Amino acid sequence: MKKWEVKALMQSILSCIPYGKKLNRFLQKRITKRLILNDKRFQTKLKQCAEHINLSRKNSLIFKEPFTALELGTGWHPIVPIGLWLCGASHVYSVDIQPLISDNEVQETLKFFARYAENGHLKNLLPFAREEKIKKMKEIINHCKGGIDVSVLGKFDIDIIVGDASNVSIPKNKIDFFVSNCVLEHIEPEALKKIFKRFKKISSQNGIMCHLIDLADHYADFDGSIGVFNFLKFSNEEWTKYNNSFHYHNRLRVSDYRNIYEECGFSVVDEMNRRGNLEDISNLPIAKEFQSYSSDDLLVWRSRIVGTSSKNE
């Protein structure tokens, strides 16, 4: 049994037992260290935030400022919401179906922001950050003498919402900018359509969606003996054995995401794709579910897709 198969088995067991989520979080934090915020992870999130704004500015006739933003998938550390606020967002909603964020993660996040603002690296990584917002952020952090908790995010005009994004309670025509980072691949296709249809309703006249999608086999991050296209050899039935709730991947290809954008009322205006080489799949027995896709489609393992909404449609 390969390393990735052992991981899949362990997570499948954890997903079925009482307190499995808590135990999985403990393992991620204490053993794999995946939940520990470090410079690399912090910088990656800031760069993702900057790239969302940069690509959206380039492809939108109107990039409203100030703008109201929605992040899908808050995760553990609110780096992207604070980054969006620094870059001119008047209000940021961050939605996650799981209540992952806590006082400790907010404290860690703000310590990194304070250090990067002090040494000048923040502006380099987040070039759209406004000086007046950076100054205000420093003031907020300095005034939190009694300790920092999740409630401090309100001072950054950030609302953390725990719940189903397809039923999110936000007024119509409210959101100018939707973003996510490596989240869409973890959502079942029909559920994703419901979320995007809700986004269409709450989108402003010229709303923009920019989502970074990881189309690779995530087990390849854990086991170097397999490639990023390894899961394409499994039928849907075979994949259910490995596709547990802690490590769910919908295996959609980039053309599927384009179709979902369009079906839900967002016109795709740009993509930034990373592709593998034909040799990466030439000896891979592609499952029948993926045989109708072109090689060019199958070889995309990372994509950032920008879409725009028009209320005149």
Side-chain angles (χ1 to χ4, degrees):
M1 186 177 285
K2 291 188 176 183
K3 285 173 60 179
W4 74 270
E5 292 176 300
V6 173
K7 179 177 181 178
L9 177 61
M10 289 180 62
Q11 287 188 320
S12 292
I13 294 171
L14 288 174
S15 67
C16 297
I17 64 173
Y19 305 107
K21 287 183 179 179
K22 288 185 178 180
L23 182 54
N24 186 59
R25 181 175 182 179
F26 174 82
L27 293 172
Q28 287 180 306
K29 197 163 190 176
R30 302 298 182 185
I31 307 301
T32 66
K33 308 293 185 183
R34 290 182 64 84
L35 303 187
I36 303 298
L37 186 59
N38 54 33
D39 286 297
K40 182 179 179 181
R41 291 194 176 103
F42 184 72
Q43 291 171 16
T44 296
K45 285 295 185 182
L46 287 183
K47 289 175 182 177
Q48 289 173 347
C49 183
E51 193 57 45
H52 281 310
I53 294 175
N54 183 49
L55 199 61
S56 298
R57 281 174 178 267
K58 186 180 79 171
N59 287 284
S60 176
L61 294 175
I62 301 174
F63 190 89
K64 182 181 174 183
E65 293 189 35
F67 57 92
T68 302
L70 184 149
E71 178 195 34
L72 179 62
T74 311
W76 306 98
H77 298 94
I79 300 167
V80 172
I82 295 174
L84 291 170
W85 178 82
L86 287 170
C87 291
S90 58
H91 201 99
V92 181
Y93 298 90
S94 188
V95 185
D96 204 308
I97 200 164
Q98 297 288 344
L100 302 177
I101 198 169
S102 71
D103 295 346
N104 186 59
E105 278 77 29
V106 174
Q107 291 169 16
E108 286 182 334
T109 301
L110 290 178
K111 284 180 182 177
F112 270 82
F113 270 106
R115 177 158 61 87
Y116 274 66
E118 194 63 33
N119 62 26
H121 292 332
L122 179 60
K123 191 68 175 176
N124 293 333
L125 292 164
L126 202 62
F128 299 107
R130 298 183 176 186
E131 292 296 338
E132 69 273 16
K133 289 265 190 148
I134 294 175
K135 181 180 178 181
K136 184 176 180 180
M137 178 189 71
K138 291 179 180 179
E139 292 173 353
I140 292 170
I141 295 172
N142 290 334
H143 289 161
C144 292
K145 302 299 183 183
I148 294 173
D149 56 36
V150 174
S151 67
V152 76
L153 295 176
K155 297 181 183 296
F156 296 94
D157 300 303
I158 295 171
D159 280 342
I160 303 296
I161 301 174
V162 178
D164 184 350
S166 66
N167 293 317
V168 67
S169 182
I170 295 174
K172 291 183 179 180
N173 307 318
K174 178 74 172 179
I175 306 299
D176 305 304
F177 194 32
F178 301 86
V179 301
S180 71
N181 293 294
C182 303
V183 171
L184 302 192
E185 68 271 15
H186 300 298
I187 303 174
E188 293 181 0
E190 290 306 312
L192 182 58
K193 290 178 185 178
K194 289 180 180 178
I195 290 171
F196 277 12
K197 286 176 181 177
R198 178 59 185 160
F199 284 2
K200 176 67 175 179
K201 289 181 179 179
I202 63 175
S203 171
S204 62
Q205 175 70 31
N206 295 284
I208 307 165
M209 280 209 311
C210 187
H211 297 289
L212 177 63
I213 311 164
D214 189 347
L215 298 91
D217 187 333
H218 288 13
Y219 286 118
D221 293 334
F222 178 76
D223 188 344
S225 71
I226 62 171
V228 296
F229 305 110
N230 185 64
F231 61 7
L232 297 179
K233 67 183 182 183
F234 297 104
S235 68
N236 289 338
E237 184 178 357
E238 292 169 330
W239 183 239
T240 57
K241 183 168 63 173
Y242 309 109
N243 208 21
N244 59 80
S245 61
F246 289 165
H247 209 278
Y248 175 82
H249 197 303
N250 57 35
R251 299 196 296 169
L252 295 177
R253 310 323 297 158
V254 67
S255 62
D256 297 319
Y257 286 106
R258 291 187 204 116
N259 291 337
I260 291 174
Y261 265 65
E262 298 287 347
E263 181 181 334
C264 298
F266 290 89
S267 300
V268 174
V269 293
D270 201 5
E271 289 180 27
M272 289 180 62
N273 294 326
R274 293 184 185 178
R275 288 183 169 84
N277 299 312
L278 195 58
E279 294 77 16
D280 296 331
I281 61 172
S282 59
N283 295 318
L284 195 69
I286 303 297
K288 66 179 186 302
E289 286 86 348
F290 300 102
Q291 290 176 4
S292 63
Y293 292 86
S294 68
S295 296
D296 190 54
D297 200 356
L298 292 178
L299 287 171
V300 176
W301 59 269
R302 178 68 65 92
S303 183
R304 190 186 301 270
I305 304 178
V306 182
T308 60
S309 171
S310 173
K311 295 297 184 178
N312 294 325
E313 293 173 357

